[in-house]
Amino acid sequence: MSHTQKDNVALMCDVAELTGLFDSSQGLDAFLGRIISTVAWHMRAAVCSIFLYDPSARQLVLRANQGLNPDFVNRLRVAIGEGLTGRVLARRGPVCIGNVHSDPDYRVIPGLYEERYTSFLGVPILRKSSPVGVIVLMDPVENYFTTNDVSALQIISSQLAGVIENVRILLSVREGHAARSVPAGPADGGADPGGTYLVQGRGGGHGVVFGLSTRINHYLHASEEEAGRHNGLTEADFDRALAETERQLLDMQRTLRDRLHEAASLIFDAHVLMLKDDAFSGKIRQRIRGGYNPWAATVEAVRAYAKAFADSPLPAFREKVLDVEDLGRRLLNNLSPDEGGDGIDYKGRIIVAEEILPSDLLKFSVEGVTAILLLGGGQTSHVAILARALRIPLVFAGDRRLMRLPEKTPLLVNAQTGEIVVRPDPAACRESLERAAREKELPPPPADASPAALADGTRVRLLANINLQSELAVANRFRAEGIGLYRTEFPFIISNTFPTEEEQFALYIRVLEQVPSGPAVFRTLDIGGDKALSYFPLQHENNPFLGLRALRFTLQNPEIFRTQLRALIRTAAAAEPGRVKVMFPLVASLDEFIAARELALSCVEELRAEGKDCRLPPLGVMFEIPSAVFLADELAAAADFMSIGANDLTQYTLAVDRTNQSMSPWYAPHHPAVLRSLQRIVSAANRAGKPVSFCGNMASNPQMIPFLIGIGLRTLSLDPQRIPVIHDIIAGLTADGAARHARDLLALGRLSEVERYLAENAPPRTV
Ligand code: PEP
Ligand code: MG
């Protein structure tokens, strides 16, 4: 069989297809059976097997198989590291062998009839880095599987992990609890006093907005009388609502993919699975036939599912409650679209919730919510970063009265100050909104198209800080000369699972295509601190900012790191030499930088051996910790380039949590100790002849630009919207004048003196 026939495997065999295989499945084994025949067909392989991991026995169990003796299903057990399949799990990586008969680990299992197959390809199925199982392909043709096949099977396996988990959850809920009755919603405490009042929260972004409230994270509340209002509905109405809901979900999925390329993994997978599950819709139909009205039957089934998920001790189950309720609302809305019912069109609404996941935020953004109010903050503040990138106003407010608001309560939300006015006075509300609209207008693209330069002609490069790909257009609009900081963790944060190497590669290539010239500096994963992955629980830490974060995290999880480095190295090979650069966040020692570089070098060798295009990109150090400042000369000698992350450098130099609103008076990037650290780093770069750039928020602050230019920085990376303002400030400076300004500031030992000096020597065109 020719390999060209296998070429489009990755495209053909996607999650939608795999999810579709769970159409009212009789059980997990039947579902897995359908999967292996689909995968075997797409991969044109004679044998396909799925082993699932049994954590209590620490063994893999053959659960589905095509091409071998079926009697071994559920009987064949393999220990980690045992044979070729066990090796896949032990390595947590693919094993591809052209001829198994010459491999020392190969062992013949009498009666399995495996002997006639020569080629072997096995990849692990991992969820949150923990083993779910192994998928194995075999074929009689020697050297049958190519490197393309390895990638394709890895993509399939990453998608399978999520689908298998969802199916397992669904089946166990269905078997265990679906029939239980459900009490009324949880007690919230703190009653809504009615009338107009102010709730003070913590702002998480920009924007003043007005909207009607919608509470989520609660069981569908529906009274007998409400059910009575929907008495005329029939089973045919329910079937129509089911079909319409599925259509809407698929539509949203498409929109999400078009808008946010990072959200490659399916956000709505659990919804679709549940819709297709006969135990869910079948149960509702049964109740309808037994005389229940369809509306009440739907409410009952949704409540039962939500309760069963909520009661689970497993976080993965509890996270699905929101999905269940969301599905229920959609169904109800489609059952009686004109009545409103409890179903909700989220457009224009202000969501009130205890907590949400990044994937929920994406759903809401696609549906056009106006704002989000969260009762829980802290842990989820990566949601705030994402909300900013998506331009959704978000406020953290611990006031439980919000959870008691009747549906559709009018709210005025100021996401900057954190103020929430409940039932605002219409005139005051109009005035606030008009003022906000005036302030909100995006600055026009700069009329002056010339690149940034000082008054004496010295060039300064202004690059963009990018969190999500949707911001690339803004970078182009404001004429960024490239990307100085691409925070690669955001695609990880908004995914449901670790993006594969192929997914990352495709994402990074898109970045290059969208900003077609200038450097593209990719920062490797900065997870930990306030940025968590919902699918990869980190150990509890009392001080997460001082814990396993950024480079420490990736060095501790080399498989995750290698996958990203391989994707970046392949991206570098696809661009002009030197355009793609890679930098490591939170480097604390020379040893860490060297370890990271060695890992990158080994990835280059590995890719070369696989025959893939690759090029080691320039590797940089981010200066974000005081220890790196003291080692600036050594780090400058070792690195290809340097970048200053003053947001963290300020936090760690001054021992002030950058995310703690109440500590903001102590968070002073202009503190003399921070200013002197910046100067030391730039001097070390100059001594070593290495390029240095600056990517902290200070580069967006006109007041600090003369200092940054004055210590010799000529490349600044910032929020692209701020480029026009900073461009103008720079045009008003001379190199000599800025150097004098910096010298003056560096001589000051007191914060108050620095503040006075900055106030008296503000740049002429401060905005
Ligand atoms: C910084 O710390 O200055 C920086 C640019 O990185 P981040 O804000 O993503 O931590
Ligand atoms: Mg940082």
Side-chain angles (χ1 to χ4, degrees):
M1 187 153 297
S2 97
H3 289 321
T4 51
Q5 283 172 278
K6 294 188 275 173
D7 270 353
N8 288 328
V9 156
L11 294 175
M12 291 188 293
C13 193
D14 64 10
V15 180
E17 181 172 359
L18 298 176
T19 305
L21 297 177
F22 181 69
D23 199 357
S24 51
S25 159
Q26 301 91 354
L28 184 61
D29 290 325
F31 169 61
L32 294 177
R34 290 191 195 99
I35 288 197
I36 50 157
S37 52
T38 305
V39 173
W41 187 83
H42 278 311
M43 302 289 291
R44 310 288 192 265
V47 173
C48 180
S49 316
I50 291 184
F51 292 77
L52 291 190
Y53 183 61
D54 172 359
S56 54
R58 293 180 53 75
Q59 283 178 330
L60 287 162
V61 185
L62 179 65
R63 291 294 292 265
N65 151 55
Q66 170 175 305
L68 300 176
N69 184 349
D71 292 347
F72 280 74
V73 171
N74 284 326
R75 283 181 40 222
L76 178 62
R77 289 181 161 262
V78 176
I80 301 176
E82 183 187 351
L84 301 180
T85 306
R87 193 199 289 172
V88 174
L89 198 60
R91 276 195 56 184
R92 300 273 175 103
V95 171
C96 185
I97 298 170
N99 186 344
V100 289
H101 302 289
S102 51
D103 191 284
D105 279 345
Y106 178 67
R107 63 190 179 108
V108 175
I109 299 169
L112 185 60
Y113 308 138
E114 207 180 15
E115 303 83 309
R116 48 200 152 135
Y117 303 112
T118 312
S119 293
F120 174 99
L121 169 58
V123 305
I125 309 173
L126 301 171
R127 180 87 175 145
K128 304 171 188 176
S129 249
S130 16
V132 172
V134 169
I135 182 163
V136 171
L137 299 176
M138 294 188 82
D139 202 82
V141 179
E142 198 170 343
N143 295 320
Y144 183 62
F145 299 110
T146 64
T147 49
N148 277 351
D149 295 336
V150 177
S151 306
L153 196 61
Q154 279 181 300
I155 292 173
I156 290 171
S157 107
S158 77
Q159 294 168 341
L160 265 183
V163 181
I164 290 177
E165 185 183 72
N166 278 330
V167 169
R168 266 181 163 169
I169 289 174
L170 199 59
L171 290 175
S172 77
V173 165
R174 178 168 114 178
E175 283 152 17
H177 314 274
R180 291 219 316 244
S181 66
V182 183
D188 290 326
D192 167 34
T196 303
Y197 59 98
L198 175 80
V199 173
Q200 184 62 57
R202 278 191 293 123
H206 300 288
V208 178
V209 290
F210 172 82
L212 301 180
S213 73
T214 278
R215 207 185 89 181
I216 57 164
N217 275 12
H218 67 120
Y219 303 119
L220 290 182
H221 53 80
S223 61
E224 296 282 308
E225 308 91 78
E226 275 176 284
R229 277 200 270 120
H230 305 276
N231 265 337
L233 297 169
T234 63
E235 187 180 337
D237 291 324
F238 174 71
D239 286 336
R240 252 194 306 281
L242 206 64
E244 178 59 13
T245 307
E246 185 171 353
R247 194 193 59 71
Q248 287 169 351
L249 289 172
L250 295 175
D251 261 10
M252 278 201 300
Q253 202 134 282
R254 265 192 296 278
T255 314
L256 188 57
R257 286 194 167 181
D258 289 347
R259 204 184 289 178
L260 277 171
H261 293 273
E262 293 92 336
S265 57
L266 289 194
I267 306 275
F268 298 98
D269 46 0
H271 289 62
V272 175
L273 272 183
M274 214 170 323
L275 267 189
K276 287 177 176 292
D277 182 16
D278 257 359
F280 178 74
S281 48
K283 199 173 174 59
I284 299 176
R285 261 191 216 99
Q286 226 176 37
R287 300 291 276 169
I288 297 172
R289 287 176 196 159
Y292 253 64
N293 88 39
W295 201 85
T298 305
V299 170
E300 188 190 76
V302 171
R303 279 183 175 177
Y305 264 67
K307 173 78 166 69
F309 281 109
D311 282 352
S312 167
L314 300 174
F317 279 47
R318 290 198 303 272
E319 284 173 7
K320 303 281 179 222
V321 172
L322 207 57
D323 284 344
V324 180
E325 295 193 338
D326 191 50
L327 183 67
R329 284 159 184 271
R330 282 175 202 291
L331 272 172
L332 293 179
N333 209 27
N334 289 324
L335 260 175
S336 354
D338 303 328
E339 303 249 357
D342 195 31
I344 275 167
D345 177 2
Y346 288 122
K347 194 165 168 46
R349 290 302 185 90
I350 295 182
I351 304 285
V352 184
E354 295 269 357
E355 217 178 326
I356 57 170
L357 295 171
S359 52
D360 300 321
L361 194 68
L362 292 178
K363 272 183 281 190
F364 292 140
S365 93
V366 171
E367 294 176 87
V369 301
T370 295
I372 297 178
L373 311 181
L374 294 183
L375 263 74
Q379 251 200 7
T380 55
S381 56
H382 55 280
V383 165
I385 304 172
L386 193 55
R388 268 201 300 276
L390 289 166
R391 306 198 170 280
I392 301 178
L394 173 105
V395 172
F396 294 108
D399 193 322
R400 302 200 67 81
R401 287 177 297 179
L402 293 174
M403 291 303 273
R404 287 294 200 179
L405 294 177
E407 285 294 292
K408 300 190 184 172
T409 302
L411 298 173
L412 180 69
V413 174
N414 185 330
Q416 201 166 352
T417 61
E419 285 169 352
I420 303 157
V421 185
V422 180
R423 302 183 190 90
D425 167 66
C429 183
R430 215 173 18 254
E431 196 197 311
S432 301
L433 291 172
E434 280 170 9
R435 189 167 359 104
R438 285 195 298 275
E439 286 165 8
K440 196 180 108 192
E441 278 167 21
L442 268 187
D448 173 6
S450 60
L454 303 179
D456 52 25
T458 313
R459 281 276 284 115
V460 176
R461 275 203 309 181
L462 296 181
L463 310 177
N465 284 355
I466 300 290
N467 304 308
L468 288 177
Q469 297 211 352
S470 47
E471 294 165 296
L472 293 169
V474 185
N476 285 330
R477 176 183 162 99
F478 294 116
R479 304 205 177 97
E481 292 188 60
I483 298 163
L485 166 65
Y486 182 82
R487 291 180 166 105
T488 61
E489 58 273 12
F490 281 94
F492 286 74
I493 290 174
I494 64 180
S495 279
N496 281 346
T497 179
F498 278 108
T500 61
E501 179 184 321
E502 293 307 320
E503 285 165 345
Q504 291 184 54
F505 177 58
L507 220 62
Y508 303 151
I509 291 290
R510 267 190 70 85
V511 173
L512 298 184
E513 285 168 357
Q514 305 242 318
V515 178
S517 63
V521 184
F522 291 87
R523 172 177 79 186
T524 61
L525 206 52
D526 182 356
I527 287 302
D530 68 332
K531 287 182 256 171
L533 301 177
S534 61
Y535 50 88
F536 191 79
L538 298 169
Q539 279 213 321
H540 170 76
E541 294 174 316
N542 283 339
N543 296 302
F545 272 112
L546 304 182
L548 198 62
R549 188 192 154 188
L551 185 58
R552 294 172 194 169
F553 170 86
T554 43
L555 286 174
Q556 284 287 308
N557 292 280
E559 278 314 313
I560 296 170
F561 203 9
R562 292 183 80 88
T563 306
Q564 181 172 47
L565 288 171
R566 284 170 55 101
L568 288 168
I569 290 165
R570 289 171 57 199
T571 309
E576 305 122 56
R579 178 163 181 227
V580 169
K581 299 171 200 252
V582 171
M583 64 188 182
F584 304 119
L586 223 71
V587 174
S589 66
L590 188 56
D591 313 65
E592 280 179 356
F593 176 74
I594 291 170
R597 188 180 54 196
E598 275 169 7
L599 209 63
L601 284 167
S602 77
C603 289
V604 170
E605 273 167 32
E606 197 176 67
L607 285 164
R608 215 165 262 148
E610 290 168 20
K612 294 207 168 119
D613 286 343
C614 59
R615 177 187 298 126
L616 184 70
L619 300 177
V621 170
M622 279 192 82
F623 283 78
E624 304 187 278
I625 307 185
S627 61
V629 179
F630 286 96
L631 293 170
D633 283 318
E634 287 86 345
L635 285 167
D640 297 316
F641 68 98
M642 297 150 73
S643 177
I644 305 175
N647 303 340
D648 276 312
L649 188 59
T650 304
Q651 148 164 282
Y652 292 119
T653 302
L654 305 180
V656 178
D657 179 350
R658 64 187 264 198
T659 66
N660 185 343
Q661 196 79 357
S662 58
M663 290 303 290
S664 56
W666 285 268
Y667 184 85
H670 54 281
H671 190 290
V674 179
L675 299 187
R676 291 177 195 187
S677 298
L678 302 185
Q679 196 264 338
R680 272 192 183 207
I681 300 164
V682 176
S683 303
N686 292 343
R687 276 195 293 279
K690 295 289 167 69
V692 59
S693 60
F694 184 96
C695 62
N697 289 351
M698 209 194 274
S700 292
N701 179 355
Q703 209 178 33
M704 295 311 297
I705 296 298
F707 176 79
L708 298 179
I709 298 295
I711 57 174
L713 283 161
R714 295 293 178 264
T715 304
L716 305 178
S717 188
L718 59 152
D719 176 352
Q721 280 192 48
R722 298 290 293 164
I723 288 180
V725 171
I726 301 304
H727 178 283
D728 282 1
I729 298 292
I730 285 171
L733 302 174
T734 60
D736 285 349
R740 251 194 324 276
H741 179 97
R743 260 198 312 277
D744 288 349
L745 278 173
L746 289 166
L748 303 175
R750 292 185 59 171
L751 190 53
S752 53
E753 292 170 337
V754 173
E755 282 167 359
R756 197 171 327 117
Y757 184 92
L758 287 174
E760 286 167 5
N761 295 276
R765 272 185 272 177
T766 300
V767 180

